[in-house]
Amino acid sequence: MIILKSSHEIDLMRRAGKITAAARALAGEMVRPGVTTQSINDEVERFIRKQGAVPSFLHYNGFPASVCISVNDEIIHGIPGKRALHEGDIVSIDVGAYIGGFHGDCAATFPCGRVSPEAQRLIDVTRQSFFEGIRYARQGQRLQDISAAVQACAEGNGFSIVREYVGHGVGSKMHEPPEIPNYGRPGHGPRLLRGMTLAVEPMVNAGAASIVQMDDGWTVRTADGKMAAHYENTILITDGEPEILTAPAI
Ligand code: MG
């Protein structure tokens, strides 16, 4: 069942969302050559706690860190560590913060220094596919209207959609129904209703769609070793335009 949030709950989600978005922005500012992914994780965790919030991802199903940091061919769920970033890397950062009983969840891919035009195009198209998708995130539309628009944008630009991982409802739990695939058929899926809060998160591969799970039990990367990008915001379905709760979006 898809949970509809009350206006009070939405206020609480706005607060969680703002902290989460600020954490994402902070992480993005830290992306530069020589910085380790661990140091980004630690700084972001400190920031979240200073706001009185808790990192949503820490210990979630056993995840060992506060931020997912996935570099180049890593798509999602990368574990921060000693790895130092290099000029030309692209760095996907996914972060969640929990406060007042609710979660915010957002992600973006950041270029490290100067990146190849193709890498930048992947980042831009992935972000664009999110915004194409949420044009349909309105009361009365069907869920897969979002999915189909994300897919059309990514595939129309020659990239491929990760199918094994999807967006999701978000609220007092980080993962609530419904699942939100980044592919689908217009007119299918549940009807969208005001008060739904959804994490829409395209994961887009530069090459083929196939993925592999790495030996650390978490990191998911592209099977062909080509780059991947990720972009996510938590949004609220309203009577009109969706509201981005992890605002400001970047
Ligand atoms: Mg998410």
Side-chain angles (χ1 to χ4, degrees), residues 57 94 105-106 166-168 174-175 199 201 230 232:
F57 299 173
D94 193 352
D105 188 3
C106 66
V166 297
H168 50 92
M174 197 166 62
H175 293 109
E201 50 174 324
H230 186 196
E232 173 184 31

Side-chain angles (χ1 to χ4, degrees), residues 182-246:
N182 294 303
Y183 58 92
R185 290 193 295 161
H188 287 71
R191 183 92 56 196
L192 299 177
L193 297 173
R194 190 172 61 134
M196 290 180 178
T197 47
L198 308 173
V200 176
E201 50 174 324
M203 289 153 263
V204 178
N205 293 351
S210 320
I211 63 166
V212 289
Q213 170 84 59
M214 288 172 67
D215 290 340
D216 62 18
W218 281 102
T219 314
V220 177
R221 67 169 177 79
T222 61
D224 62 11
K226 296 190 176 163
M227 286 185 169
H230 186 196
Y231 186 81
E232 173 184 31
N233 284 297
T234 301
I235 65 164
L236 167 70
I237 304 298
T238 74
D239 287 333
E241 299 276 310
E243 179 181 334
I244 294 181
L245 297 176
T246 45

Side-chain angles (χ1 to χ4, degrees), residues 84-104:
L85 299 176
H86 293 105
E87 180 100 18
D89 286 345
I90 67 169
V91 186
S92 295
I93 292 180
D94 193 352
V95 61
Y98 179 77
I99 185 171
F102 289 88
H103 294 275

